[in-house]
Amino acid sequence: MFGSARGSVRDVVFVDGVRTPFGKAKGVYAETRADDLIVRVIRELLRRNPSLPPERIDEVAVAATTQIGDQGLTIGRIAGVLAGLPESVPGYAVDRMCAGAVTAVTTTASSIAVGAYDVAVAGGVEHMGRHPMGEGADLNPRFVAERLVDPSALVMGSTAENVHDRFPAITRERADAYALASQEKVAKAYANGQIQPDLVPMAARHADSGWELVTADEPPRPTTTLDGLAGLRTPFRPHGRVTAGNSAGINDGATGCLLAAAEVAAELGLPARMTLVGYGFAGVAPEVMGVGPIPSTEKALARTGLTIDDIGLFELNEAFAVQVLAFLDHFGIADDDPRVNQYGGAIALGHPLASSGVRLMTQLARQFAEHPEVRYGMTAMCVGLGMGATTIWENPHHGAATTATS
């Protein structure tokens, strides 16, 4: 029997989160191993939280979409051993495509809630330059032959074009404007020092030039203009609307976080940056996978007793601009709502598939500290093969400004 009494559920807190700077595929990490990326993240989590005895970690859950080569063979266990955790600490691998790290978080958090674990490491890694999505996969031909899915479901850019078809009010011009705003918000967040505190410098090897220390994201394009975006080709459809400019890139990177039971965090002197309220996963037609966050959010809200109006901050993964805009339209949120992606998003920062979910959480946690007037925040993302993932968090700093001035 888990916990102090049958049926008891413990609060789970997000203690800390870090990530490597994200790289372009074939870019800064071209000669760096995927497992070394996630090992660096785990070591940084331990360095930043010295009051946590490594032997108190009960699990290491690491996600990867393409579980092959240097990000295969039960990457959670491999990374834990390489990071120097005691051999008594187990680990496992997770795959829910783009929502891999989210699933690592929700699965380990659920285990903490029922008392199976006290502390866990959860995160994700993706080296898309070395392991393209789908490498080594053998998709059953019945998917297409028996029309179980539309053939376009297997090409993420085509699914984004399909979402444009479903919502004609989301024009290419509107998607480009959203993409430009993402680049501008990332540039502003960097200028304000809001992104750098949660980046762990990463040594990257280059056979020709030696080693370099990577301290900033490689993908952002701060000189982006609307005219430049308008001139980009549409690779997924003639005269289409999806371009490299209004989509996330193909990227490499790793993320990780520490989760703990609230009372265990207090016992060990660990911070509580967010408290998990609830989560939801949902499935949709694979050929319009971009709408997945809509039903997953509705499910998460319904199960937590909240409404969209209760959410004061949103971190939405920008796989494609059209996917975010469809979400915003559905919930009656303006394209430029200041609650949404305050530091910008994946269109600028990059989207190393399975790792991105914890980037969203880490950014939300930092925004919670900046906004004690906000009680609830949300992370949400679309997921390949037709799914959505949403987590809802409570801000432990809520009301601090009011209390301090009263």
Side-chain angles (χ1 to χ4, degrees):
M1 182 174 67
F2 296 135
S4 58
R6 184 181 296 275
S8 63
V9 177
R10 303 188 295 179
D11 283 341
V12 180
V13 297
F14 183 99
V15 171
D16 198 7
V18 298
R19 65 179 179 90
T20 66
F22 289 167
K24 297 178 181 179
K26 309 296 184 183
V28 68
Y29 298 132
E31 299 173 63
T32 299
R33 291 180 59 95
D35 47 15
D36 284 336
L37 294 173
I38 189 64
V39 165
R40 184 74 180 93
V41 164
I42 295 172
R43 286 177 172 168
E44 178 67 5
L45 287 171
L46 294 173
R47 188 195 70 80
R48 286 172 41 140
N49 296 277
S51 67
L52 172 63
E55 63 272 15
R56 290 295 301 270
I57 298 173
D58 295 300
E59 189 68 271
V60 179
V62 177
T65 300
T66 306
Q67 295 187 7
I68 194 170
D70 54 342
Q71 57 191 40
L73 198 62
T74 313
I75 185 65
R77 174 60 172 173
I78 293 293
V81 171
L82 289 170
L85 294 179
E87 62 183 16
S88 59
V89 179
Y92 64 96
V94 179
D95 176 18
R96 200 198 294 261
M97 296 190 78
C98 307
V102 178
T103 305
V105 167
T106 57
T107 303
T108 53
S110 297
S111 296
I112 291 170
V114 300
Y117 308 152
D118 284 340
V119 182
V121 172
V125 62
E126 208 76 57
H127 200 304
M128 299 179 73
R130 183 171 294 169
H131 304 298
M133 185 174 68
E135 179 189 8
D138 181 14
L139 190 70
N140 194 303
R142 292 198 302 112
F143 270 101
V144 175
E146 298 182 12
R147 299 184 179 180
L148 299 176
V149 301
D150 187 277
S152 64
L154 306 179
V155 180
M156 296 301 102
S158 296
T159 69
E161 290 283 9
N162 293 341
V163 176
H164 271 291
D165 291 342
R166 178 172 288 195
F167 303 105
I170 306 177
T171 62
R172 174 173 174 177
E173 291 73 20
R174 190 174 160 200
D176 284 350
Y178 181 88
L180 177 62
S182 182
Q183 296 283 353
E184 292 173 342
K185 286 191 283 187
V186 165
K188 181 180 179 181
Y190 258 103
N192 292 338
Q194 293 166 304
I195 292 177
Q196 297 92 321
D198 297 318
L199 298 182
V200 51
M202 182 71 203
R205 176 185 179 274
H206 305 287
D208 294 337
S209 59
W211 292 85
E212 71 170 300
L213 190 64
V214 184
T215 59
D217 294 301
E218 187 180 17
R221 299 181 296 274
T223 60
T224 298
T225 65
L226 279 179
D227 285 345
L229 291 170
L232 296 176
R233 66 187 186 94
T234 58
F236 303 105
R237 182 186 296 179
H239 308 294
R241 293 140 296 189
V242 179
T243 73
N246 58 35
S247 310
I250 299 174
N251 305 106
D252 308 330
T255 65
C257 68
L258 284 173
L259 304 167
E263 62 264 35
V264 174
E267 169 204 339
L268 296 174
L270 297 170
R273 302 184 190 276
M274 302 192 293
T275 302
L276 183 63
V277 178
Y279 58 88
F281 295 94
V284 298
E287 64 269 22
V288 286
M289 66 97 190
V291 302
I294 295 172
S296 66
T297 295
E298 291 176 332
K299 182 181 290 188
L301 290 171
R303 292 186 172 178
T304 56
L306 299 173
T307 71
I308 200 71
D309 294 332
D310 292 315
I311 307 301
L313 289 166
F314 295 83
E315 274 292 319
L316 307 177
N317 193 46
E318 298 170 354
F320 301 94
V322 64
Q323 155 252 316
V324 178
L325 293 170
F327 178 98
L328 297 179
D329 283 357
H330 179 84
F331 289 105
I333 301 170
D335 295 6
D336 60 352
D337 191 301
R339 297 173 296 167
V340 177
N341 291 10
Q342 292 195 344
Y343 300 169
I347 288 173
L349 292 169
H351 174 30
L353 301 182
S355 68
S356 286
V358 167
R359 176 188 67 78
L360 303 177
M361 295 173 190
T362 299
Q363 292 189 182
L364 180 62
R366 190 155 295 279
Q367 291 162 21
F368 271 169
E370 296 172 354
H371 294 281
E373 76 279 7
V374 170
R375 183 173 182 184
Y376 298 109
M378 170 185 293
T379 70
M381 65 194 324
C382 62
V383 188
L385 297 182
M387 293 179 282
T390 301
T391 58
I392 299 176
W393 302 86
E394 186 171 13
N395 184 0
H397 310 286
H398 176 64
T402 302
T403 302
T405 58
S406 60

